[in-house]
């Protein structure tokens, strides 16, 4: 709805006042920041000058602690000023994006509620801008004009929304403004979606939809599962949910208490801008491989998931898909659990601890302690108790041995040296035996399980990988699960919320690892079965049997691609969904046979690079991507490798599996003759690649069109 000239003038004058106030706040905070730096420097000098280097009594300790507290207090004050300053910078760039007028039931005065990325108060503590995460702000996303309400700490507040207005503001200028009756008017959404991509994921705070808002603000369920098509905003929802949690529970939660597990390090970099743009510190970011290394240990070499993926996509004959599926399954997890229950009652290898006639414990004594005295404990605790007991005995044995070689040395110095050398070897041997028993190598324990499981193929495969000095990816999650149920836990007390993206690509076993390691942590899961690029996983079984009771938020609308690209991608889906798409038009996808990929790609780039800032050339495998990259010989084109940790803007060549979660202005999907997109197993992978495109999609093939796309 168009606004009158008078309404425009009122809004312009208000924005001018807000902009000036924010400027004043920035000047004040910058001055305070400068003073705080000086104060920190002075406090540090005082601590070094006045602090006691040596503590002669309790008063010295108290004095030093007092000086240290002063430094910590100054640092905390400095961080607080810096945080407020960052929020003011964001408000200066764009003060607010929405407004609604609310008439509370039982009152006669209408409140004008302006919504922005953070709260702004005037000198009288009146709120001029409400943080988008505030309880009252939920009405902007949930309600239309008419009856409205929200849940406040004091209970439900009801009334009437008499006006809703949206803005696009940059600095002190209102670029667009109009009244609307729904949450997001197509006009402003179209404007946002039509823009070219930056090199990082952006906030959606000004365009959050009703169903997205419910997922963001849910606080009644331990596990929230956001399920939706490509471009429905799943990852954005999770990140905005993290920001909302940091606001809602700001006295109990900080950014260090939240961790997100994403597909790869490139994606972590891609999403790293969202929370800072919302005025929050970035949360922890990780991958399953990083978790595996930290939990199993850095002494091992690991095959990563993308090495396995590359072999699968290249149809490598060394890959046994049947075994891969088994090792990721519930059946295999149950077998590991059964094996551990068995060795808890018997058959755990317990050898006597002895060397050169020096006995610390017999096999019979160890068995009695392990199976009878310690039977109420997990295996890890039993071994820890044995470790303490055996080391105590080693101390007494060491004293006895040393006494013996000292007495020998008194009689004969040369003979004493021989006895001392022998004693040292004996003690070292006893230590090694204790360590081998009480700190077993997880690889040995896993081999024990494989022998019990009695599958010759798997035993051979594991032995072969050990000879080559690494652990295959297929064995990583099972080994982690084995270690977990043996009782070897990891301290995750600082993590209070866990986000797992692309859950459809994790096996049952991998999700079981997440849910057992983080057994008391709240979670947000994000997934889309149609984008399951790892065809050896079973995403449906995974969520129902691992996640247990969860709140499912089903998203029915995609905001990423044009109608033409969305319609094309929808035809690739086996089980057709009644998804909605934003009515944003663009060119039809181009499907063409190529006799010269280099020339044809160059031609396409020359046609689209003028108006688009991010372009992806996507091949099925990394091998195909590297060959294409070498043939292009263009310094403006970069290749994305699995070892990369930074998202690259401009024109990139990437294998299919590294494009997960990313989006580009234009996408060129290349189906080469040697590694084409074909077969039922790769259809979802092809769909995922095509759905990365926002505005333009091109498909080039050397032999046959993927999935008869020419008939679409």
């Amino acid at each position: 709805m168009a606004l009158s000239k008078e309404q425009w003038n009122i809004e312009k004058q208000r924005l001018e006042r807000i902009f000036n106030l924010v400027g004043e706040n920035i000047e004040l905070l910058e001055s305070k920041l400068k003073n705080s730096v000086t104060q920190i420097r002075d406090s540090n000098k005082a601590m070094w000058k006045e602090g006691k280097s040596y503590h002669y009594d309790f008063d010295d300790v108290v004095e030093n602690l007092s000086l240290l507290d002063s430094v910590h207090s100054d640092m905390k004050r400095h961080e607080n000023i810096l945080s407020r300053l960052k929020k003011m910078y964001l408000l200066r760039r764009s003060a607010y994006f929405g407004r609604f007028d609310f008439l509370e039931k039982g009152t006669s005065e209408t409140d004008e509620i302006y919504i922005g990325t953070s709260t702004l108060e005037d000198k009288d503590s009146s709120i001029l801008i409400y943080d988008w995460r505030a309880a009252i702000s939920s009405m902007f996303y949930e309600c239309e004009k008419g009856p409205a309400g929200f849940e406040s700490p004091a209970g439900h507040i009801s009334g009437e929304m008499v006006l809703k207005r949206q803005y696009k503001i940059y600095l002190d200028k209102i670029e667009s403004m109009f009244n609307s009756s729904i949450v997001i008017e197509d006009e402003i959404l179209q404007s946002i979606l039509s823009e070219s991509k930056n090199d990082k994921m952006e906030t959606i705070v000004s365009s959050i939809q009703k169903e997205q808002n419910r997922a963001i603000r849910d606080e009644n369920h331990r596990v929230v599962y956001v399920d939706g098509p490509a471009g429905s905003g799943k990852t954005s929802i999770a990140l905005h949910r993290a920001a909302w949690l940091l606001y809602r529970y700001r006295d109990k939660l900080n950014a260090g208490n939240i961790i997100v597990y994403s597909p790869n390090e490139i994606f972590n970099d891609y999403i790293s801008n969202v929370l800072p743009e919302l005025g929050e510190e970035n949360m922890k970011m990780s991958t399953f491989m990083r978790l595996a290394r930290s939990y199993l240990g850095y002494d091992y070499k690991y095959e990563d998931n993308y090495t396995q993926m590359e072999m699968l996509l290249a149809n490598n004959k060394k890959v046994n898909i049947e075994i891969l599926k088994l090792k990721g399954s519930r059946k295999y997890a149950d077998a590991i659990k059964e094996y551990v229950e068995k060795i808890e009652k018997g058959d755990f290898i317990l050898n006597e601890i002895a060397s050169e006639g020096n006995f610390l414990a017999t096999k019979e004594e160890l068995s009695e302690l392990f199976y009878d005295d310690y039977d109420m404990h997990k295996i890890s605790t039993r071994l820890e108790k044995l470790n303490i007991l055996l080391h105590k005995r080693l101390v007494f044995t060491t004293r006895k041995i040393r006494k013996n070689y000292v007495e020998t040395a008194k009689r004969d110095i040369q003979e004493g040296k021989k006895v001392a050398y022998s004693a040292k070897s004996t003690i070292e041997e006893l230590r090694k035996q204790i360590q081998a028993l009480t700190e077993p190598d997880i690889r040995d324990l896993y081999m024990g399980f494989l022998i019990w499981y009695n599958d010759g193929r798997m035993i051979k495969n594991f032995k072969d990988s050990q000879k080559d000095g690494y652990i295959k990816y297929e064995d990583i999650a099972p080994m982690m699960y084995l270690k977990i149920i043996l009782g070897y836990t990891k301290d995750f007390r600082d993590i209070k919320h866990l986000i797992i993206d692309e859950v459809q690509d994790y096996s049952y076993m991998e999700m079981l690892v997440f849910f057992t390691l983080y057994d008391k942590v709240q979670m947000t899961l994000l997934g889309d079965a149609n984008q399951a690029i790892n065809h050896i996983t079973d995403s449906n079984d995974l969520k129902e049997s691992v996640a247990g009771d969860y709140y499912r938020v089903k998203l029915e609308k995609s905001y990423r691609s044009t109608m033409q690209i969305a319609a094309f991608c929808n035809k690739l889906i086996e089980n057709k969904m009644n998804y909605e798409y934003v009515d944003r038009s663009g060119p039809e996808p181009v499907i063409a046979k190529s006799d010269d990929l280099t020339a044809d790609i160059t031609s396409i780039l020359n046609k689209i690079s003028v108006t688009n800032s991010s372009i992806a050339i996507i091949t099925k495998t990394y091998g195909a991507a590297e060959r294409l990259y070498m043939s292009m010989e263009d310094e403006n084109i970069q290749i994305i490798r699995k070892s990369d940790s930074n998202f690259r803007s401009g024109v990139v060549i990437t294998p299919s599996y590294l494009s997960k979660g990313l989006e580009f202005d234009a996408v060129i999907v290349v189906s080469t003759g040697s590694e084409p997109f074909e077969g039922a197993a790769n259809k979802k992978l092809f769909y995922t690649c095509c759905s990365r495109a926002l505005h333009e999609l091109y498909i080039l093939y050397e032999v046959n069109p993927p999935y008869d796309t020419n008939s679409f």
Side-chain angles (χ1 to χ4, degrees), residues 410-609:
K410 286 179 180 178
R411 295 192 302 269
D412 187 328
I413 187 93
Q414 294 302 322
E415 189 64 27
K417 287 180 180 180
K418 292 179 183 179
V419 173
Y421 179 79
S422 175
K424 184 179 179 182
S425 299
T426 299
I427 294 167
E428 188 60 34
E429 174 61 24
L430 289 171
R431 281 202 184 98
K432 286 180 180 178
Q433 289 182 23
I434 293 172
Q435 183 176 13
L437 171 65
T438 62
E439 301 174 40
D441 191 313
I442 190 63
R443 293 172 297 186
D444 296 334
L445 294 172
Y446 185 62
M447 177 57 80
F449 161 72
L450 290 175
I451 293 170
W452 172 82
Y453 196 76
N454 196 26
D455 188 310
R457 299 167 303 170
M458 292 196 293
I459 293 171
K460 183 181 183 304
N461 288 346
F462 191 69
K463 283 183 177 178
D464 288 346
S465 70
Q466 294 307 290
K467 286 179 184 177
D468 293 335
Y470 72 99
I471 298 170
K472 285 187 175 181
Y473 184 75
E474 66 198 62
D475 292 311
I476 291 174
M479 286 175 65
M480 293 176 75
Y481 183 59
L482 173 62
K483 188 173 181 178
I484 291 167
I485 58 177
L486 285 169
Y488 293 97
T489 58
K490 191 171 175 63
D491 187 0
F492 289 117
R493 284 176 295 181
D494 61 325
I495 301 300
K496 298 179 181 178
H497 195 88
L498 176 70
I499 298 169
I500 307 176
D501 206 350
E502 309 289 358
V503 293
Q504 74 279 351
D505 287 325
Y506 290 105
S507 67
Y508 175 92
M509 185 74 76
E510 288 166 334
M511 288 302 291
L512 190 59
V513 166
F514 278 128
F515 272 80
T516 47
L517 279 178
Y518 295 96
D519 60 335
K520 295 179 175 62
V521 175
Q522 288 189 322
M523 298 186 183
T524 301
L525 310 180
L526 316 168
D528 175 17
N530 289 313
Q531 295 184 70
I533 68 169
N534 189 345
H535 52 267
I536 67 169
T537 63
D538 185 345
S539 58
N540 293 322
D541 177 57
L542 169 148
K543 291 181 225 5
E544 291 175 7
S545 43
V546 180
D549 183 24
Y550 59 88
Y551 173 51
R552 183 170 181 250
V553 179
K554 181 65 177 174
L555 304 178
E556 304 285 355
K557 194 169 185 177
S558 176
Y559 303 92
R560 176 181 294 150
S561 306
T562 61
M563 284 292 293
Q564 289 77 7
I565 295 173
F568 175 86
C569 292
N570 196 39
K571 290 176 183 177
L572 294 167
I573 299 174
E574 294 282 342
N575 301 315
K576 296 293 185 291
M577 305 290 181
N578 294 320
Y579 291 139
E580 297 178 48
Y581 301 94
V582 174
D583 188 13
R584 181 169 62 86
S585 189
E588 290 286 345
V590 175
I591 305 105
K593 189 175 189 300
S594 175
D595 296 321
D596 187 339
L597 286 174
T598 302
D600 291 337
I601 290 172
T602 301
S603 176
I604 293 171
L605 292 176
N606 288 335
K607 182 166 52 176
I608 64 177
S609 60

Side-chain angles (χ1 to χ4, degrees), residues 183-306:
V183 176
I184 287 294
E185 190 73 26
D186 276 347
E187 180 182 335
I188 199 165
L189 192 56
Q190 293 279 13
S191 174
I192 293 169
L193 297 175
S194 297
E195 295 173 353
S196 292
K197 278 295 300 171
N198 292 323
D199 61 349
K200 294 285 194 296
M201 179 179 281
E202 299 171 353
T203 71
I204 60 167
V205 65
S206 63
S207 58
I208 293 170
Q209 304 295 288
K210 184 183 291 187
E211 69 277 10
Q212 295 173 329
N213 186 59
R214 289 172 183 169
I216 289 169
R217 294 175 186 262
D218 181 83
E219 54 185 323
N220 298 318
H221 305 88
R222 180 187 164 229
V223 180
V224 174
Y225 170 48
V226 183
D227 178 13
S232 56
K234 298 182 293 295
T235 304
S236 291
I237 288 171
L239 298 176
H240 285 69
R241 176 164 170 73
W244 178 81
L245 288 167
L246 290 170
Y247 176 87
R248 175 71 174 84
Y249 300 102
R250 51 191 174 275
D251 295 332
K252 303 176 183 177
L253 200 67
N254 61 58
N257 301 137
I258 303 175
I259 188 168
V260 57
Y261 283 96
S262 68
N264 50 61
E265 302 293 353
I266 299 167
F267 188 74
N268 282 339
D269 181 60
Y270 178 65
I271 65 175
S272 64
N273 214 37
V274 175
L275 258 67
E277 284 294 305
L278 294 171
E280 297 291 350
E281 294 296 319
N282 239 330
M283 58 194 165
K284 295 180 179 179
M285 296 183 184
S286 192
T287 62
F288 186 79
M289 281 305 303
R290 206 192 294 179
L291 173 66
R293 289 188 184 96
S294 69
Y295 183 61
L296 292 178
Y298 295 96
D299 296 333
Y300 311 140
K301 291 183 179 179
Y302 304 90
E303 177 186 81
D304 60 55
N305 52 327
Y306 291 122

Side-chain angles (χ1 to χ4, degrees), residues 618-620 655-657 659 667 669 677 684-693 697:
I618 305 177
T619 60
K620 183 180 174 183
S656 55
Y657 46 83
S659 69
V667 167
V669 181
F677 285 96
K684 291 180 178 179
L685 181 64
F686 183 64
Y687 163 79
T688 302
C689 295
C690 294
S691 62
R692 302 304 94 203
L697 173 63

Side-chain angles (χ1 to χ4, degrees), residues 58-86:
F58 183 71
D59 289 339
D60 290 341
V61 176
V62 171
E63 184 178 341
N64 274 7
L65 285 175
S66 176
L67 291 167
L68 191 60
D69 284 345
S70 176
V71 173
H72 286 164
S73 177
D74 291 340
M75 286 295 296
K76 193 170 183 180
R77 191 181 304 111
H78 178 81
E79 289 168 2
N80 181 260
I81 294 169
L82 192 59
S83 174
R84 289 162 57 198
L85 187 56
K86 287 178 181 177

